[in-house]
Amino acid sequence: MAATITWDHLRELAGFRTENGCAISLYVDLDPAVTPTPQALDTRVNSLLDRGDDADGNWREHRKALRADLERIRSWMDGEFDRDGARGLALFCSGTENLWQPIPLADAVPDEFRLGHDLYVAPLVRLVSGDEGALVGVVGRERGGLYRLTAGRLTEVAEQHDDTPGQHDQGGWSQSRYGRHIENLVHKHLKAWGDLLDRRVRAAKGNARVVLVCSEDMRSEVLDVLAPETRSAVVGWTTAEAHAGPPELLAAVKPLLDEARAERERRALERWQEEAGRDGRAASGWRQVLEAASDGRVECLLFEERAAPEAYQCPRCGRGSVDGGACPLDGTELDRHEDALDLAVHQALAHGGTVLAVHDAPSLGPFEGIAATLRF
């Protein structure tokens, strides 16, 4: 079963750094179009892990531990791994640090193998800032359902039916008394459904995105039963046929989720442009962004998904730079780092910032495809 990556989980991964030894970051593309059979998966995994065998010369003092980690991964992939609908896999391992964390992913990721003191987390950013994990609440006067977007499909996580009587059940009740009875039952049903949705939103810890599906005449009633936190997480409303299934519901809500993501990116870019235009709390280009991220000043890192240049990192404090030489803080000689984006993402997340992979952002083009708004 694919996992939903949260900001808290991503920050935890970004904050990991080995004290003794090295860590493996393995990504495998499980898209059926790319890896259709177990034999194809074996071939891809062996090819990736062979990179570890070839690289152990750079980690001579940790060669024994590294080879044990590679063997553990091979054994797990051969005997325990279950794809179960996952379209990608991220696996982080360091025996010397007691780290073992395989994460089946809802989206495909490019094959990658990395060794280092830190974990390679940049490929996970778009999974957090995208639509994965969005909640879709469907509610009527007698039925309520709750779905989660996982691996491009809506999966039902809760459903409730209330036996609200129809008019033919009125019996000997007066019309007004019966009407009040029905409205009480409907309110009870809505409240129970709203409580389910509220709990899911709270569990997302500020990262929830919600689309509500109901008739227009019920919107005010629905809002009345939702907690303020849930109301603020609603990114759109739509309607659907009474017995619409997950495919039909997804077709109805996907445009709203796309609009919400585009709006989130637009606002973040506008804020950066405004700050940069007045020489305020903004950084533009690799040099400024890596410096600000290393200082813990990044509030929101913005980047286009493009090839990142090499950079340098202090092996002692983790500080990043576009230049080699000595660390300006502790004088330690900087190590070459193969991916400036991963370094910037690490620093931003480790200091409590957020990261947003943006689509079609011409304003970032002149600044090497990367920028940030800053706390100070």
Side-chain angles (χ1 to χ4, degrees):
M1 179 68 69
T4 297
I5 306 295
T6 65
W7 284 116
D8 285 345
H9 190 185
L10 194 55
R11 287 193 180 93
E12 178 186 334
L13 294 171
F16 175 88
R17 186 170 177 81
T18 60
E19 295 292 336
N20 178 38
C22 61
I24 295 172
S25 299
L26 175 71
Y27 289 84
V28 186
D29 188 347
L30 299 179
D31 187 328
V34 176
T35 314
T37 66
Q39 292 75 19
L41 176 59
D42 287 344
T43 299
R44 299 180 81 87
V45 170
N46 286 331
S47 176
L48 288 165
L49 295 181
D50 284 346
R51 300 184 196 176
D53 290 329
D54 296 339
D56 67 3
N58 296 324
W59 300 86
R60 288 186 179 87
E61 65 273 31
H62 308 297
R63 182 178 298 176
K64 184 176 180 181
L66 173 57
R67 291 188 173 178
D69 287 343
L70 292 171
E71 183 54 39
R72 180 180 184 184
I73 295 173
R74 285 192 173 96
S75 177
W76 182 81
M77 293 295 302
D78 288 341
E80 298 180 52
F81 176 54
D82 182 359
R83 292 173 71 159
D84 192 22
R87 294 175 61 84
L89 172 69
L91 191 155
F92 305 106
C93 175
S94 176
T96 58
E97 302 292 335
N98 198 29
L99 172 69
W100 173 258
Q101 197 165 147
I103 308 173
L105 304 172
D107 283 349
V109 288
D111 288 350
E112 189 58 80
F113 178 93
R114 296 280 180 96
L115 283 176
H117 294 292
D118 302 313
L119 302 178
Y120 178 50
V121 299
L124 300 178
V125 170
R126 63 181 176 84
L127 302 184
V128 184
S129 57
D131 296 330
E132 181 69 14
L135 297 170
V136 176
V138 184
V139 66
R141 295 178 70 83
E142 299 179 15
R143 179 190 173 196
L146 185 58
Y147 298 81
R148 187 191 196 103
L149 184 59
T150 304
R153 295 177 305 208
L154 287 182
T155 303
E156 192 168 39
V157 293
E159 182 179 24
Q160 66 178 87
H161 293 277
D162 275 10
D163 296 326
T164 305
Q167 291 200 0
H168 63 279
D169 298 318
Q170 180 174 341
W173 291 21
S174 69
Q175 186 66 38
S176 60
R177 183 183 174 200
Y178 183 72
R180 288 194 300 273
H181 173 65
I182 295 297
E183 290 308 312
N184 286 337
L185 289 177
V186 169
H187 180 76
K188 230 175 126 181
H189 153 65
L190 289 177
K191 188 67 171 65
W193 170 86
D195 288 344
L196 288 173
L197 180 55
D198 288 342
R199 286 198 293 273
R200 289 283 176 169
V201 169
R202 284 196 299 272
K205 297 181 180 178
N207 300 317
R209 298 171 306 287
V210 178
V211 176
L212 295 177
V213 182
C214 72
S215 61
E216 291 190 15
D217 62 339
M218 286 192 65
R219 289 189 181 184
S220 61
E221 292 180 85
V222 170
L223 284 175
D224 285 344
V225 300
L226 298 178
E229 182 181 4
T230 303
R231 291 199 293 268
S232 66
V234 175
V235 299
W237 298 75
T238 189
T239 58
E241 295 295 328
H243 297 288
E248 293 78 20
L249 291 171
L250 180 58
V253 304
K254 192 64 169 66
L256 297 173
L257 290 171
D258 290 343
E259 288 175 14
R261 185 181 65 247
E263 177 65 12
R264 190 164 66 248
E265 293 177 9
R266 184 187 66 79
R267 289 182 180 179
L269 286 166
E270 283 184 352
R271 186 172 174 219
W272 160 67
Q273 288 177 302
E274 180 183 347
E275 291 288 345
R278 65 187 186 197
D279 199 21
R281 289 182 289 185
S284 307
W286 286 108
R287 184 177 299 277
Q288 290 186 12
V289 167
L290 277 176
E291 180 180 344
S294 296
D295 290 338
R297 293 187 288 129
V298 168
E299 179 180 72
C300 181
L301 177 69
L302 306 165
F303 71 91
E304 291 182 308
E305 295 191 87
R306 60 165 76 173
E310 288 186 340
Y312 295 86
Q313 184 179 27
C314 177
R316 178 175 296 176
C317 70
R319 185 178 183 81
S321 172
V322 296
D323 301 315
C327 175
L329 296 186
D330 55 38
T332 305
E333 188 69 16
L334 301 180
D335 291 338
R336 187 184 298 273
H337 194 290
E338 59 185 308
D339 193 329
L341 176 59
D342 189 58
L343 185 52
V345 167
H346 263 94
Q347 296 293 336
L349 292 174
H351 291 95
T354 59
V355 183
L356 189 60
V358 297
H359 306 75
D360 189 26
S363 57
L364 290 180
F367 302 101
E368 305 170 285
I370 192 162
T373 53
L374 309 179
R375 297 191 186 92
F376 55 92

